[in-house]
Amino acid sequence: MGFLDGKAGVITGAGSGLGEAYARHAAREGVSFVVNDLAGVERVVADIRADGGVAL
């Protein structure tokens, strides 16, 4: 169980850089969330889902 299991959120700027790092960390802690950015989100969402996380 992660520290944030059952929580939901939105992470802006998650297509790269710090936003991506926050998204990956949040997914490991159990957060289900929306990944938002101008580019790169498909890759981040696919990676999070492949690791068992929930992301759109």
Side-chain angles (χ1 to χ4, degrees), residues 2-53:
F3 177 69
L4 299 171
D5 276 346
K7 302 295 182 184
V10 175
I11 298 180
T12 60
S16 64
L18 284 176
E20 180 179 355
Y22 293 143
R24 291 177 184 276
H25 179 73
R28 285 191 301 271
E29 292 298 325
V31 176
S32 300
F33 57 88
V34 174
V35 176
N36 185 11
D37 205 336
L38 297 175
V41 295
E42 294 86 4
R43 176 185 52 79
V44 175
V45 168
D47 289 348
I48 289 170
R49 288 180 178 171
D51 289 338

